[in-house]
Amino acid sequence: FPDVSAFWRANAFALLRIGLQRDTVTATHSLLTGVALNPEGEALQQKTTTRCARRFAHDLAIHFKGMDDDSLLAVLAYLGGQFGLSTAERDLVRRFGGAALSYESVEDLLQKLAFETLVRANLCAEDLTIWMARVIRQRDWHSVARLSGLAGRAALIQALRRSALHLLTFTPKENPA
């Protein structure tokens, strides 16, 4: 679906549901999109898109570990705005970036940050690999180090700290929630 998702987004269609299994014929995940035709439809579309985003965040590690990067980034292009960090959460991520907090203490916030910003942030290939493998897909440190070519957990966390500060520049400055 990555090849057609840009068309649907450009024509104001919202993502309503993501298929959990690859289609046996097309070998892709299915998408259900829709566009509102009236105010009631807009309310339903917003409610459904928000629910899809919440489920996506929760189910990703289990159901989408096998989703290819292009498909995953296409989904994030639809849902990224649903995962905004609050001002307090941004501060916690900033503290992680400055080495004041551990990875484990902000892991859920890094996932929200990734969902919100990875599509727009233009990370280098190595950093994108780390974020996709560890933060989003929650693969173990050893596999992520092997994929990225870095020398273990400490080097990966250093790369995450640096790139988290970069990703923060792609979030709204104020979100008091």
Side-chain angles (χ1 to χ4, degrees):
F1 64 79
D3 51 337
V4 297
S5 66
F7 169 81
W8 295 115
R9 268 194 337 278
N11 288 287
F13 280 71
L15 179 61
L16 305 175
R17 189 169 191 295
I18 307 162
L20 297 179
Q21 309 248 328
R22 285 182 184 262
D23 182 271
T24 54
V25 175
T26 64
T28 63
H29 296 270
S30 61
L31 294 181
L32 176 62
T33 61
V35 65
L37 300 176
N38 57 39
E40 293 82 14
E42 288 176 14
L44 180 60
Q45 178 179 314
Q46 181 59 42
K47 179 179 174 183
T48 307
T49 298
T50 300
R51 182 174 185 272
C52 180
R54 275 198 323 270
R55 288 187 50 85
F56 182 73
H58 177 266
D59 293 344
L60 184 64
I62 298 165
H63 297 294
F64 293 112
K65 279 190 175 183
M67 183 180 277
D68 63 276
D69 288 354
D70 289 339
S71 295
L72 182 54
L73 288 170
V75 170
L76 292 179
Y78 275 108
L79 300 178
Q82 303 293 322
F83 297 98
L85 293 171
S86 70
T87 302
E89 290 171 331
R90 286 173 49 84
D91 186 54
L92 291 172
V93 172
R94 195 173 292 107
R95 290 178 60 207
F96 165 75
L101 294 174
S102 69
Y103 173 83
E104 291 73 19
S105 67
V106 295
E107 187 172 14
D108 60 326
L109 301 180
L110 294 178
Q111 191 175 54
K112 282 176 69 173
L113 178 65
F115 289 161
E116 182 181 5
T117 62
L118 277 185
V119 172
R120 310 187 301 279
N122 197 27
L123 288 177
C124 69
E126 178 183 279
D127 287 347
L128 183 60
T129 296
I130 295 167
W131 280 83
M132 296 289 276
R134 178 62 198 175
V135 177
I136 294 181
R137 293 192 176 106
Q138 299 175 2
R139 291 189 177 150
D140 66 272
W141 292 106
H142 180 72
S143 332
V144 178
R146 194 173 56 249
L147 281 171
S148 67
L150 293 179
R153 186 181 200 278
L156 291 168
I157 289 178
Q158 184 60 29
L160 285 168
R161 288 183 193 285
R162 177 184 35 76
S163 54
L165 294 173
H166 173 70
L167 291 177
L168 279 175
T169 66
F170 291 87
T171 62
K173 299 299 180 217
E174 291 299 320
N175 186 3

